[in-house]
Amino acid sequence: MPIRPELSLALFLVAALAPVTASAEPQGRITGVGGIFIRSKDPKALMAWYRDVLGIRVEAWGGAMLRYDAPGHPPVLTFNVLKDGSAYMEPSKREFMLNFAVDDLAAFLDRLKAKNVPILKRDDDDPSGKFAWIVDPDRTKIELWQPKP
């Protein structure tokens, strides 16, 4: 017995609108970075520097909540491991480096210069955007990145 055209259309719509339960990735996976934690001899002074110099809003509990959905912000966070002994994080001797995305690198660097923060280097010719590097009071290298639009 052939299926009537109106029933065929109804079955197609039900199938098309039904939620898909199969996923390309299994449950129990990493969905993003939930935080970055740094040791310091003087945590309060270091967080005050990040607040006063870099403009990071420090919450009452002492840390900061950095948003991913800011206009122009890259849609991902980069995670990478460098070879032990790599010079990329020099002059810092720390085991990590921070990278902050900025909306206007030139304006941000002007603000840092006004606060007497030395700029280690600047690169406006990278294919992925503009970069500059500084260090915080604990000598952690910070990479500032203005992504290409």
Side-chain angles (χ1 to χ4, degrees), residues 105 123-133 144-149:
L105 184 62
D123 179 2
D124 289 349
D125 298 321
D126 190 276
S128 63
K130 299 176 183 180
F131 290 89
W133 294 268
L144 304 168
W145 171 44
Q146 180 183 334
K148 281 208 169 178

Side-chain angles (χ1 to χ4, degrees), residues 6-39:
E6 61 273 5
L7 182 58
S8 183
L9 177 62
L11 289 173
F12 171 78
L13 289 173
V14 167
L17 297 175
V20 177
T21 56
S23 174
E25 295 184 45
Q27 290 295 313
R29 63 187 183 278
I30 301 294
T31 61
V33 173
I36 299 170
F37 303 89
I38 300 172
R39 290 184 191 180

Side-chain angles (χ1 to χ4, degrees), residues 29 40 50 53 55 57 61 78-79 82 86 89-90 97 99 103 106 109 116 130 134 137 147 149:
R29 63 187 183 278
S40 176
Y50 278 86
V53 175
R57 183 175 166 214
W61 51 270
T78 301
F79 174 76
L82 303 175
S86 167
M89 293 190 281
E90 288 181 5
M97 180 181 74
N99 172 295
D103 59 356
L109 293 178
N116 299 314
K130 299 176 183 180
I134 62 172

